[in-house]
Amino acid sequence: MRRGDERVARAVNGQHGHPVLDRAGVGLSTFANKGVLWFSIAAVLALTGHRRAAVRGSLSLLAASATANLVVKRMLGGPRPPLDTVQQARRLADHPASPSFPSGHSASAFAFATGVTLELPWMGFVLYPLAAAVAATRLLVGAHWASDVVGGATLGSVVAVVGSAVSKPKC
């Protein structure tokens, strides 16, 4: 798996990017820190009459983030990609120091997207591409290996589906 991860990392970071796209990728990745992007979307959903979807997405995100960052990272962890392979323009101001697997950003993104989509299926057309973009930025900025991102996305989606099976938000 590590060879595949290294191959993907070389493919992503071996390319000269466009300064605007690099800044956008770093900005999107940073805006997703601590769920800010997703909670902002949840606020818009709640204000537009979709409170149940906002709650389901937010609870899914919180559960997936806790599972990824407090449980799975401690059990499986692993080193992050070396920063010397990441172009300077793509590096985060504060590179994460926690273990790499799974990507908490990807887990949160896909948990939120799945949670909202379970309530509002049409939102999947907006949220899944945005979740995939956030996950891709984690490769672009060198914070994660591809397997971390896939693992996080899978974990987030599963947590949201399991959460939906065991509870219905009361809104």
Side-chain angles (χ1 to χ4, degrees), residues 32-159:
N33 286 352
K34 298 185 183 349
V36 171
L37 168 63
W38 309 110
F39 291 129
S40 298
I41 294 170
V44 171
L45 287 168
L47 290 171
T48 57
H50 301 291
R51 186 170 174 197
R52 188 177 172 107
V55 169
R56 166 96 47 220
S58 297
L59 291 176
S60 296
L61 181 154
L62 291 169
S65 181
T67 302
N69 293 308
L70 301 176
V71 178
V72 181
K73 276 185 189 277
R74 291 181 182 184
M75 289 173 37
L76 302 176
R80 290 189 182 266
L83 269 181
D84 61 354
T85 62
V86 179
Q87 295 175 28
Q88 188 66 38
R90 294 179 179 170
R91 292 184 190 176
L92 297 170
D94 293 318
H95 193 73
S98 62
S100 190
F101 184 86
S103 165
H105 277 70
S106 299
S108 294
F110 278 86
F112 183 82
T114 302
V116 170
T117 301
L118 288 167
E119 296 294 330
L120 296 173
W122 60 271
M123 283 296 294
F125 293 106
V126 175
L127 294 179
Y128 281 118
L130 185 56
V134 167
T137 67
R138 302 308 284 170
L139 298 173
L140 183 77
V141 301
H144 286 287
W145 300 104
S147 59
D148 302 334
V149 169
V150 171
T154 303
L155 174 67
S157 297
V158 168
V159 165

